Amino acid sequence: MGSPLSALTIEELRRRSSLKWRAYPPDVLPLWVAEMDVPLAPAVVEAIVAAARAGDTGYPAGTAYAEALSDFAAQRWGWGFEIGQAALVADVMTGLMEMLALVTSPGDPVVVNPPVYPPFYGYLEHAGRRAVDAPLDANGRLDLEALAEAFRAAVAGGGRAAYLLCNPQNPTGAAHAREELAAVAGLAGEYGVRVVVDEIHAPIYRGGAVHTPYLSVPGAETGFSVMSASKAWNLAGLKAAVAVAGPDAVGDLAVLHEMVSHGPSHVGILAHVAGLTNGRDWLDDVLADLDRNRRLLGELLAKHLPEARYVEPAATYLAWLDCRDLGLGDDPAAVFLERSRVALNSGLAFGRGGAGHVRLNFATSPAILEEAITRLATTL
């Protein structure tokens, strides 16, 4: 078994020109944006090189991505979908907004669960939708009472409303249980709220645990999910994603403008399909590395920064650290960057519940992770 997260040196990583490695000066260790420090899966490299050699760099066509994703979902999660339920979209956030545009209008409310992925707020604002908070509970899980209250408020004016769900949750790494998702579907049906789900991190679970797709639970038939191989195979720069409609939402998907399918990269689709079909063993190696890093992070924090509270995430490669006992104020990420030269995501950007927290990306080598936590300890 290989170890993709240990394959590259810090010198090799610093030669990268992507955002993670170019946003900060070279003395900063970047453990922030969701890029993994891995070489690409061999199957993905082969697909990209073959396309370049053949000049196969035109416009996207066909249903290969949806077919590969449905097969992967069936094999890994025991759930698949019909190709007629799927549509190509440029990337997950663009796809989410296109799905919301099908079921809401400018000015309509969209419920979210802070702390949550910051672009949810930015994209909703850009689309002219109004974010309504239903915060996670004290344990970082879905609060069904808060959700019901938010749904009631969202539909009180008689207009249309939607719920933008992150499954699994970013930044907390919480994996929503089947019972929770079924309860969400029940509430959405009761209040007439349409559910749109971001499932970009769905392949990345701890210790062999299995993702529960929202559309697989009873009552979710009117929902939408947007999925991608982007996070699991480290393909953020090769944009492509698939939007999937529940059986009772296919009619809504049918009115999606044909131009939306022009957004994804053809080479991106080839790379994503290669990962989903021929890169599964590589993904398993990455998941094993991430399991080791989850445990290592807990050990390092207990040794060097015991005041920081850490709950090992069930999914994603992101850790949500509660730093309120460190005495670093509402934005400890800014202090860590200035004093320790480690870049983390500020919890403030994730909405309510984010003050005093940071998000740390542990999809890196054990050596870099150890160096980063040792540096953070020097802040105190």
Side-chain angles (χ1 to χ4, degrees):
M1 183 173 64
S3 179
L5 284 173
S6 297
L8 300 173
T9 66
I10 186 73
E11 292 77 20
E12 290 172 313
L13 291 166
R14 290 205 183 279
R15 288 198 287 271
R16 290 185 168 181
S17 58
S18 62
L19 181 65
K20 180 178 183 180
W21 289 94
R22 291 301 173 96
Y24 295 98
D27 65 321
V28 173
L29 279 180
L31 276 72
W32 63 296
V33 72
E35 298 178 22
M36 292 196 290
D37 294 342
V38 291
L40 290 182
V44 171
V45 174
E46 291 168 11
I48 296 170
V49 170
R53 285 177 173 160
D56 187 11
T57 54
Y59 297 105
T63 60
Y65 195 173
E67 292 168 11
L69 181 58
S70 182
D71 181 72
F72 179 87
Q75 295 294 322
R76 293 280 169 135
W77 310 326
W79 168 84
F81 54 87
E82 299 297 326
I83 301 308
Q85 295 175 247
L88 285 174
V89 291
D91 54 33
V92 166
M93 280 308 309
T94 301
L96 293 171
M97 293 303 108
E98 293 288 352
M99 298 305 103
L100 287 171
L102 296 176
V103 297
T104 64
S105 300
D108 284 341
V110 178
V111 177
V112 295
N113 304 120
V116 73
Y117 184 51
F120 277 17
Y121 290 107
Y123 273 81
L124 288 175
E125 179 182 7
H126 182 65
R129 269 62 173 179
R130 176 167 51 90
V132 176
D133 285 347
L136 301 176
D137 67 17
N139 296 314
R141 304 205 66 83
L142 296 177
D143 185 331
L144 296 176
E145 290 185 6
L147 195 61
E149 182 179 344
F151 284 1
R152 279 194 295 270
V155 301
R160 299 194 294 178
Y163 173 35
L164 183 52
L165 171 64
C166 198
N167 179 37
Q169 188 79 11
N170 175 1
T172 65
H176 306 315
R178 179 169 296 277
E179 296 77 12
E180 291 175 295
L181 295 174
V184 165
L187 286 173
E190 178 182 349
Y191 289 99
V193 173
R194 300 297 293 274
V195 182
V196 178
V197 190
D198 171 1
E199 296 190 288
I200 195 170
H201 287 276
I204 308 170
Y205 271 65
R206 177 182 63 197
V210 176
H211 175 68
T212 301
Y214 175 74
L215 295 180
S216 72
V217 304
E221 292 81 8
T222 63
F224 299 89
S225 172
V226 185
M227 303 181 183
S228 175
S230 171
K231 288 292 178 277
W233 282 272
N234 206 43
L235 301 172
L238 291 167
K239 288 186 175 293
V242 175
V244 183
D248 294 343
V250 173
D252 295 306
L253 193 66
V255 304
L256 190 69
H257 199 288
E258 189 267 341
M259 291 302 296
V260 173
S261 68
H262 295 195
S265 157
H266 174 53
V267 177
I269 290 172
L270 296 175
H272 290 219
V273 169
L276 287 163
T277 54
N278 299 315
R280 298 182 189 183
D281 290 343
W282 178 90
L283 175 62
D284 289 338
D285 288 345
V286 169
L287 295 178
D289 276 356
L290 292 175
D291 279 348
R292 287 189 286 271
N293 276 5
R294 282 186 187 91
R295 293 189 295 270
L296 175 61
L297 177 58
E299 294 166 1
L300 291 170
L301 289 169
K303 178 180 179 181
H304 297 288
L305 212 62
E307 299 90 348
R309 282 174 278 182
Y310 164 66
V311 177
E312 189 175 297
T316 79
Y317 48 75
L318 306 167
W320 186 238
L321 306 184
D322 183 346
C323 301
R324 288 175 291 179
D325 290 343
L326 299 181
L328 301 178
D330 286 346
D331 191 10
V335 182
F336 286 138
L337 178 61
E338 179 183 357
R339 298 184 189 174
S340 303
R341 311 306 286 162
V342 177
L344 307 173
N345 288 96
S346 170
L348 294 175
F350 294 82
R352 289 162 63 178
H357 291 70
V358 298
R359 192 190 74 174
L360 181 151
N361 175 356
F362 57 83
T364 189
S365 71
I368 291 175
L369 188 59
E370 183 167 4
E371 170 67 16
I373 301 306
T374 302
R375 286 193 190 188
L376 294 182
T378 67
T379 301
L380 306 181

